[in-house]
Amino acid sequence: MSNDKAFKALVVQEDSKGNFSKSIQERQVSELPDNDLLIEVHYSSLNYKDAMSASGNKMITKNFPHTPGIDAAGVVISDKSGTFNEGQKVVIFGYDLGMDTPGGLGQMISIPADWAVACPDALTLKEAMIYGTGGITAALSIQKLEKMGVKPSDGPVAVSGATGGVGSISIAILSQLGYDVIAFSGKTEQTEHLKALGATEVRHRDSVNDVGKRPVGRELWANAIDTVGGEYLANLLKQTKAGGAVTSCGLAASAEFAMTVLPFITRGVSLLGIDSVYIPLEDKKTIWNRVATDMKLPNLESYGEEITLEQTPEYLDRFMAGKTVGRYVVNVRG
């Protein structure tokens, strides 16, 4: 590959005993895949999927050594496809980036040109990564509810995993759009933080499970955004008002859930899946434009904590320990 030079990257390695370690190392551009688009990464962000990759989860990343980072924002160094101009600002999330393709926690990436979109003029590269996959997933969840005809006057929207990246941005955007939000979190010490984001009410996450084994419960919220899966998703569905909908985008609690079909056939409740990985490129452009316009949050930089590339091993461990709050934007070159 042309433009060969050294750069820094987080590298996860597996030893002969199946143990994994992560460190900041120097790599060469020639070690990257030979794809059309070469990008100098300025910012990335941290997501739960990055933490799973960095811990050696073979369902996320099969081959090691590996550089995680499912988000990247930077400038084009070269593009053999002719799609982008040298120096153009671009953002990338989804597809195979950071899974088995070296990701945004490295200062350089090489990807197919059709994985990238131009960074909206209204967003800086840092702002784009404050959203990142987490924020874009939140925006996609809200947009899907909108397509179902949901509006603020219908009643409150419940958000599970409220202190996480998807949950916190969901609360902020919903509040900005005029919705009342019931935030569910196990981190009761973050109550004031969640209210500052825009939550109308904060409840302990386990209270959603008070419905127990009953097939349906009282109708407590009009719609919901679930970020954790498992019994939390099932019990959000059981307590959603007739005609409402629940989006599903995460599995931190579990990838499985068990329930009856009664909420669907007696109340007409809808379960909406959210995919932020393989959605069509045009849909990605649309949602980026929305977070740069009607969904753009005021004082956006206040929604993300900036960290350095050198700090990422520590913060990825915090993700796996459930000790993170909100969004983390990585200044890859800082």
Side-chain angles (χ1 to χ4, degrees), residues 103-163:
L105 296 181
Q107 294 175 333
M108 301 288 285
I109 57 173
S110 176
I111 60 170
D114 59 3
W115 286 10
V117 299
C119 183
D121 291 339
L123 292 177
T124 66
L125 293 175
K126 180 178 178 180
E127 288 175 332
M129 288 296 94
I130 290 173
Y131 285 114
T133 291
I136 292 297
T137 301
L140 286 168
S141 299
I142 295 166
Q143 180 174 265
K144 202 152 192 178
L145 289 174
E146 290 175 340
K147 289 180 178 179
M148 294 290 291
V150 171
K151 52 190 182 300
S153 59
D154 295 338
V157 178
V159 177
S160 67
T163 59

Side-chain angles (χ1 to χ4, degrees), residues 21 38 42 51 146 168-169 174 189 229 236 301:
S21 62
L38 182 65
H42 288 206
E146 290 175 340
S168 60
I169 299 296
L174 285 166
E189 72 278 7
L236 281 170
E301 291 205 8

Side-chain angles (χ1 to χ4, degrees), residues 163 185-195 202-205 322-325:
T163 59
S185 174
K187 299 172 182 174
T188 54
E189 72 278 7
Q190 296 296 328
T191 295
E192 292 307 312
H193 168 67
L194 293 172
K195 288 185 176 180
V202 179
R203 301 181 188 178
H204 193 278
R205 66 185 177 197
K323 296 180 179 179
T324 55
V325 176

Side-chain angles (χ1 to χ4, degrees), residues 15-297:
D15 66 21
S16 59
K17 296 182 180 179
N19 299 312
F20 292 87
S21 62
K22 46 191 177 291
S23 60
I24 307 302
Q25 299 182 16
E26 186 173 283
R27 308 303 296 268
Q28 296 293 135
V29 169
S30 58
E31 298 177 67
L32 295 173
D34 188 11
N35 290 312
D36 284 342
L37 188 57
L38 182 65
I39 297 167
E40 179 184 82
V41 179
H42 288 206
Y43 289 93
S44 184
S45 73
L46 296 187
N47 301 276
Y48 187 66
K49 187 178 285 186
D50 299 321
M52 290 193 290
S53 173
S55 66
N57 187 314
K58 294 295 181 75
M59 293 184 66
I60 304 299
T61 300
K62 298 178 178 62
N63 301 305
F64 295 87
H66 173 64
T67 294
I70 63 173
D71 291 331
V75 298
V76 173
I77 299 299
S78 61
D79 181 10
K80 292 182 286 188
S81 75
T83 305
F84 297 98
N85 298 319
E86 182 179 344
Q88 188 171 357
K89 296 193 304 180
V90 292
V91 291
I92 309 96
F93 72 100
Y95 304 111
D96 190 56
L97 184 71
M99 297 176 71
D100 278 305
T101 298
L105 296 181
Q107 294 175 333
M108 301 288 285
I109 57 173
S110 176
I111 60 170
D114 59 3
W115 286 10
V117 299
C119 183
D121 291 339
L123 292 177
T124 66
L125 293 175
K126 180 178 178 180
E127 288 175 332
M129 288 296 94
I130 290 173
Y131 285 114
T133 291
I136 292 297
T137 301
L140 286 168
S141 299
I142 295 166
Q143 180 174 265
K144 202 152 192 178
L145 289 174
E146 290 175 340
K147 289 180 178 179
M148 294 290 291
V150 171
K151 52 190 182 300
S153 59
D154 295 338
V157 178
V159 177
S160 67
T163 59
V166 179
S168 60
I169 299 296
S170 293
I171 292 168
I173 295 177
L174 285 166
S175 177
Q176 178 171 286
L177 295 176
Y179 290 86
D180 288 331
V181 181
I182 302 172
F184 286 94
S185 174
K187 299 172 182 174
T188 54
E189 72 278 7
Q190 296 296 328
T191 295
E192 292 307 312
H193 168 67
L194 293 172
K195 288 185 176 180
L197 289 176
T200 312
E201 182 180 352
V202 179
R203 301 181 188 178
H204 193 278
R205 66 185 177 197
D206 291 338
S207 66
V208 75
N209 297 327
D210 289 347
V211 66
K213 300 298 182 181
R214 296 192 297 277
V216 292
R218 293 169 53 211
E219 299 175 53
L220 299 180
W221 37 82
N223 301 279
I225 293 175
D226 177 64
T227 73
V228 296
E231 63 179 344
Y232 297 97
L233 171 58
N235 292 328
L236 281 170
L237 286 160
K238 292 179 186 180
Q239 297 168 94
T240 297
K241 293 181 179 180
V246 178
T247 66
S248 172
C249 67
L251 44 65
S254 176
E256 300 180 358
F257 73 105
M259 60 181 295
T260 74
V261 299
L262 285 180
F264 308 116
I265 64 174
T266 65
R267 290 181 177 169
V269 171
S270 298
L271 174 58
L272 308 175
I274 304 299
D275 168 35
S276 62
V277 179
Y278 294 108
I279 62 173
L281 194 62
E282 286 304 311
D283 292 345
K284 290 193 174 188
K285 292 177 182 178
T286 297
I287 201 64
W288 273 114
N289 286 330
R290 286 206 67 185
V291 299
T293 54
D294 67 304
M295 286 187 177
K296 186 175 183 182
L297 297 169

